Amino acid sequence: MSLRLPAAGGAFRAYEPRREPAPAVLAGGAGSPSDAPRSRTVYAAAHVVADPFADTAPDGPAAVDWEATLAFRHHLWSHGLGVAEAMDTAQRGMGLDWPRAAELIRRSAAEARAAGGRIVCGAGTDQLTGTAGPSAVRAAYEEQLALVEESGARAVLMASRALAAAARGPEDYLELYGHLLRQAREPVILHWLGPMFDPALEGYWGSADLDAATDTFLDVIGAHPDKVDGVKVSLLDAGRETALRRRLPEGVRCYTGDDFHYPELIAGDQQGFSHALLGVFDPIGPLAAEAVRVLDTGDTAGFHALLDPTVPLSRHLFAAPTRYYKTGVVLVAWLAGHQDHFTMVGGLQSARSLPHLARAYELADGLGLFPDPELAEHRMRTLLALHGAAR
């Protein structure tokens, strides 16, 4: 029997689920971290699995299912992907509080060492509440940077809501980031997260003018190129990212965070290419890893044939309001059997409409992302029934 999936406006459409997963998914992650792509450094920003049995409120402390959360990281490593831990995809600032983020970093870094997997971890200022001055922002960054380094992972210096609120202009960003880079033990990744992901980051780097902000960003990097492994750019603007990439100092990588244009940015052009640190590589990890391994062979057409079809799903998951993309990511993880429930920290499973979730299922199923299509179909029917939409 076909599924009746709801669309916007109250209409329904028939959908016949796929019966076989894609070959890369069917492989079941039987590989190891040593199977990592060679021509590009590729990280998936991984989500956290909530504990559905914890008696907590949406604004209370986050309750994490540590076993399932860490198992998902092993799934990504088994396909050769690196893990970007405690990033935006893990609901930093949207349900995952700093004490749990700190524990997540410690646990995942230890698992990475044991598995031989690549990992980078987000360091920010989300332990701060209310208004904070520059000295408090710096201390918060220092605390998180120290924890990441002590865990044995490389740090991603995340964009800070507190800094965006406290900074008076570009000079404050230059001073603070310069201080952090001077004291970092190892080169870090700098993260520029656009306001479409977090409205509180409007005007980051001291200006709402993106050209002026880019100049400040490059000034920070240029003053300490030996302390910057790379930059993660999440502006959903392929032209701007490409222009920025061409201006980076030699040896500083560009990690695309553009979940709309990632195939073309990773493939690159005659003047260079982007590596990847992407939230969408959480749900499409097996296909993404296989595509980049094909690119390793020089087969650009084969790379696009595998990765380009994933873009409609990504654009749907990251549709405005983009900050709620995590809901679709966790839906796909549940349908794929990576967790036993569709519950999120902070109650964020309610952040997207049923028609949005139904379309996410349809697109993911069409790509063959579900190792057990019958399980995914059964779970989608359950979700529809829960909303009173099943017949």
PDB file of all heavy atoms in Angstrom, residues 130-149:
ATOM      1  N   GLY A 130      22.482  36.183  29.886  1.00  0.00           N
ATOM      2  CA  GLY A 130      22.287  37.610  30.025  1.00  0.00           C
ATOM      3  C   GLY A 130      23.385  38.393  29.329  1.00  0.00           C
ATOM      4  O   GLY A 130      24.132  37.885  28.494  1.00  0.00           O
ATOM      5  N   THR A 131      23.489  39.655  29.684  1.00  0.00           N
ATOM      6  CA  THR A 131      24.481  40.544  29.083  1.00  0.00           C
ATOM      7  C   THR A 131      25.865  40.256  29.639  1.00  0.00           C
ATOM      8  O   THR A 131      26.038  40.097  30.850  1.00  0.00           O
ATOM      9  CB  THR A 131      24.113  42.009  29.341  1.00  0.00           C
ATOM     10  OG1 THR A 131      22.787  42.254  28.840  1.00  0.00           O
ATOM     11  CG2 THR A 131      25.091  42.956  28.665  1.00  0.00           C
ATOM     12  N   ALA A 132      26.854  40.195  28.758  1.00  0.00           N
ATOM     13  CA  ALA A 132      28.231  39.919  29.178  1.00  0.00           C
ATOM     14  C   ALA A 132      29.174  40.903  28.505  1.00  0.00           C
ATOM     15  O   ALA A 132      29.013  41.220  27.320  1.00  0.00           O
ATOM     16  CB  ALA A 132      28.628  38.495  28.830  1.00  0.00           C
ATOM     17  N   GLY A 133      30.153  41.371  29.238  1.00  0.00           N
ATOM     18  CA  GLY A 133      31.153  42.266  28.694  1.00  0.00           C
ATOM     19  C   GLY A 133      32.265  41.514  27.997  1.00  0.00           C
ATOM     20  O   GLY A 133      32.346  40.280  28.067  1.00  0.00           O
ATOM     21  N   PRO A 134      33.181  42.230  27.330  1.00  0.00           N
ATOM     22  CA  PRO A 134      34.270  41.587  26.588  1.00  0.00           C
ATOM     23  C   PRO A 134      35.131  40.653  27.431  1.00  0.00           C
ATOM     24  O   PRO A 134      35.534  39.589  26.950  1.00  0.00           O
ATOM     25  CB  PRO A 134      35.078  42.774  26.067  1.00  0.00           C
ATOM     26  CG  PRO A 134      34.089  43.890  25.972  1.00  0.00           C
ATOM     27  CD  PRO A 134      33.157  43.695  27.132  1.00  0.00           C
ATOM     28  N   SER A 135      35.415  41.016  28.675  1.00  0.00           N
ATOM     29  CA  SER A 135      36.259  40.154  29.511  1.00  0.00           C
ATOM     30  C   SER A 135      35.564  38.839  29.837  1.00  0.00           C
ATOM     31  O   SER A 135      36.206  37.779  29.870  1.00  0.00           O
ATOM     32  CB  SER A 135      36.646  40.885  30.799  1.00  0.00           C
ATOM     33  OG  SER A 135      35.488  41.220  31.561  1.00  0.00           O
ATOM     34  N   ALA A 136      34.254  38.885  30.073  1.00  0.00           N
ATOM     35  CA  ALA A 136      33.505  37.660  30.349  1.00  0.00           C
ATOM     36  C   ALA A 136      33.428  36.786  29.107  1.00  0.00           C
ATOM     37  O   ALA A 136      33.514  35.547  29.191  1.00  0.00           O
ATOM     38  CB  ALA A 136      32.103  38.003  30.849  1.00  0.00           C
ATOM     39  N   VAL A 137      33.276  37.405  27.939  1.00  0.00           N
ATOM     40  CA  VAL A 137      33.250  36.647  26.691  1.00  0.00           C
ATOM     41  C   VAL A 137      34.582  35.946  26.473  1.00  0.00           C
ATOM     42  O   VAL A 137      34.636  34.763  26.124  1.00  0.00           O
ATOM     43  CB  VAL A 137      32.918  37.576  25.505  1.00  0.00           C
ATOM     44  CG1 VAL A 137      33.041  36.823  24.179  1.00  0.00           C
ATOM     45  CG2 VAL A 137      31.514  38.148  25.653  1.00  0.00           C
ATOM     46  N   ARG A 138      35.668  36.656  26.710  1.00  0.00           N
ATOM     47  CA  ARG A 138      36.990  36.051  26.535  1.00  0.00           C
ATOM     48  C   ARG A 138      37.192  34.889  27.497  1.00  0.00           C
ATOM     49  O   ARG A 138      37.687  33.823  27.108  1.00  0.00           O
ATOM     50  CB  ARG A 138      38.084  37.107  26.754  1.00  0.00           C
ATOM     51  CG  ARG A 138      39.479  36.563  26.471  1.00  0.00           C
ATOM     52  CD  ARG A 138      40.531  37.648  26.554  1.00  0.00           C
ATOM     53  NE  ARG A 138      40.840  38.025  27.941  1.00  0.00           N
ATOM     54  CZ  ARG A 138      41.774  38.891  28.297  1.00  0.00           C
ATOM     55  NH1 ARG A 138      42.482  39.519  27.345  1.00  0.00           N
ATOM     56  NH2 ARG A 138      42.003  39.172  29.556  1.00  0.00           N
ATOM     57  N   ALA A 139      36.790  35.056  28.754  1.00  0.00           N
ATOM     58  CA  ALA A 139      36.952  33.989  29.735  1.00  0.00           C
ATOM     59  C   ALA A 139      36.129  32.764  29.363  1.00  0.00           C
ATOM     60  O   ALA A 139      36.572  31.618  29.550  1.00  0.00           O
ATOM     61  CB  ALA A 139      36.548  34.492  31.124  1.00  0.00           C
ATOM     62  N   ALA A 140      34.929  32.987  28.821  1.00  0.00           N
ATOM     63  CA  ALA A 140      34.084  31.869  28.416  1.00  0.00           C
ATOM     64  C   ALA A 140      34.724  31.101  27.262  1.00  0.00           C
ATOM     65  O   ALA A 140      34.765  29.856  27.265  1.00  0.00           O
ATOM     66  CB  ALA A 140      32.704  32.381  28.027  1.00  0.00           C
ATOM     67  N   TYR A 141      35.227  31.824  26.270  1.00  0.00           N
ATOM     68  CA  TYR A 141      35.934  31.173  25.165  1.00  0.00           C
ATOM     69  C   TYR A 141      37.140  30.382  25.685  1.00  0.00           C
ATOM     70  O   TYR A 141      37.397  29.245  25.262  1.00  0.00           O
ATOM     71  CB  TYR A 141      36.428  32.219  24.171  1.00  0.00           C
ATOM     72  CG  TYR A 141      35.570  32.438  22.949  1.00  0.00           C
ATOM     73  CD1 TYR A 141      35.146  33.722  22.606  1.00  0.00           C
ATOM     74  CD2 TYR A 141      35.211  31.389  22.104  1.00  0.00           C
ATOM     75  CE1 TYR A 141      34.384  33.946  21.460  1.00  0.00           C
ATOM     76  CE2 TYR A 141      34.449  31.606  20.964  1.00  0.00           C
ATOM     77  CZ  TYR A 141      34.032  32.877  20.650  1.00  0.00           C
ATOM     78  OH  TYR A 141      33.288  33.098  19.522  1.00  0.00           O
ATOM     79  N   GLU A 142      37.891  30.986  26.590  1.00  0.00           N
ATOM     80  CA  GLU A 142      39.090  30.322  27.114  1.00  0.00           C
ATOM     81  C   GLU A 142      38.733  29.035  27.827  1.00  0.00           C
ATOM     82  O   GLU A 142      39.445  28.017  27.701  1.00  0.00           O
ATOM     83  CB  GLU A 142      39.833  31.270  28.052  1.00  0.00           C
ATOM     84  CG  GLU A 142      40.514  32.423  27.342  1.00  0.00           C
ATOM     85  CD  GLU A 142      41.127  33.424  28.308  1.00  0.00           C
ATOM     86  OE1 GLU A 142      40.658  33.519  29.471  1.00  0.00           O
ATOM     87  OE2 GLU A 142      42.083  34.119  27.898  1.00  0.00           O
ATOM     88  N   GLU A 143      37.651  29.055  28.602  1.00  0.00           N
ATOM     89  CA  GLU A 143      37.225  27.847  29.315  1.00  0.00           C
ATOM     90  C   GLU A 143      36.899  26.724  28.332  1.00  0.00           C
ATOM     91  O   GLU A 143      37.339  25.579  28.515  1.00  0.00           O
ATOM     92  CB  GLU A 143      35.995  28.150  30.171  1.00  0.00           C
ATOM     93  CG  GLU A 143      35.441  26.923  30.890  1.00  0.00           C
ATOM     94  CD  GLU A 143      34.111  27.178  31.574  1.00  0.00           C
ATOM     95  OE1 GLU A 143      33.597  28.324  31.508  1.00  0.00           O
ATOM     96  OE2 GLU A 143      33.559  26.227  32.163  1.00  0.00           O
ATOM     97  N   GLN A 144      36.157  27.046  27.291  1.00  0.00           N
ATOM     98  CA  GLN A 144      35.757  26.008  26.352  1.00  0.00           C
ATOM     99  C   GLN A 144      36.926  25.551  25.478  1.00  0.00           C
ATOM    100  O   GLN A 144      37.061  24.358  25.181  1.00  0.00           O
ATOM    101  CB  GLN A 144      34.594  26.508  25.501  1.00  0.00           C
ATOM    102  CG  GLN A 144      33.323  26.765  26.312  1.00  0.00           C
ATOM    103  CD  GLN A 144      32.070  26.756  25.471  1.00  0.00           C
ATOM    104  OE1 GLN A 144      32.052  26.271  24.343  1.00  0.00           O
ATOM    105  NE2 GLN A 144      30.987  27.277  26.026  1.00  0.00           N
ATOM    106  N   LEU A 145      37.769  26.476  25.070  1.00  0.00           N
ATOM    107  CA  LEU A 145      38.944  26.103  24.283  1.00  0.00           C
ATOM    108  C   LEU A 145      39.844  25.177  25.079  1.00  0.00           C
ATOM    109  O   LEU A 145      40.355  24.168  24.551  1.00  0.00           O
ATOM    110  CB  LEU A 145      39.705  27.363  23.862  1.00  0.00           C
ATOM    111  CG  LEU A 145      41.029  27.158  23.114  1.00  0.00           C
ATOM    112  CD1 LEU A 145      40.810  26.390  21.816  1.00  0.00           C
ATOM    113  CD2 LEU A 145      41.690  28.510  22.829  1.00  0.00           C
ATOM    114  N   ALA A 146      40.039  25.482  26.370  1.00  0.00           N
ATOM    115  CA  ALA A 146      40.885  24.629  27.213  1.00  0.00           C
ATOM    116  C   ALA A 146      40.304  23.230  27.326  1.00  0.00           C
ATOM    117  O   ALA A 146      41.036  22.237  27.266  1.00  0.00           O
ATOM    118  CB  ALA A 146      41.038  25.262  28.595  1.00  0.00           C
ATOM    119  N   LEU A 147      38.987  23.123  27.468  1.00  0.00           N
ATOM    120  CA  LEU A 147      38.372  21.802  27.594  1.00  0.00           C
ATOM    121  C   LEU A 147      38.549  20.989  26.320  1.00  0.00           C
ATOM    122  O   LEU A 147      38.868  19.792  26.370  1.00  0.00           O
ATOM    123  CB  LEU A 147      36.889  21.947  27.929  1.00  0.00           C
ATOM    124  CG  LEU A 147      36.157  20.628  28.192  1.00  0.00           C
ATOM    125  CD1 LEU A 147      35.174  20.769  29.340  1.00  0.00           C
ATOM    126  CD2 LEU A 147      35.429  20.133  26.944  1.00  0.00           C
ATOM    127  N   VAL A 148      38.343  21.624  25.155  1.00  0.00           N
ATOM    128  CA  VAL A 148      38.517  20.904  23.893  1.00  0.00           C
ATOM    129  C   VAL A 148      39.954  20.423  23.757  1.00  0.00           C
ATOM    130  O   VAL A 148      40.210  19.265  23.392  1.00  0.00           O
ATOM    131  CB  VAL A 148      38.120  21.796  22.702  1.00  0.00           C
ATOM    132  CG1 VAL A 148      38.507  21.137  21.379  1.00  0.00           C
ATOM    133  CG2 VAL A 148      36.626  22.094  22.720  1.00  0.00           C
ATOM    134  N   GLU A 149      40.912  21.294  24.049  1.00  0.00           N
ATOM    135  CA  GLU A 149      42.319  20.907  23.914  1.00  0.00           C
ATOM    136  C   GLU A 149      42.690  19.815  24.905  1.00  0.00           C
ATOM    137  O   GLU A 149      43.439  18.889  24.567  1.00  0.00           O
ATOM    138  CB  GLU A 149      43.200  22.138  24.094  1.00  0.00           C
ATOM    139  CG  GLU A 149      43.059  23.141  22.948  1.00  0.00           C
ATOM    140  CD  GLU A 149      43.965  24.349  23.084  1.00  0.00           C
ATOM    141  OE1 GLU A 149      44.307  24.707  24.226  1.00  0.00           O
ATOM    142  OE2 GLU A 149      44.326  24.928  22.041  1.00  0.00           O
TER     143      GLU A 149
END
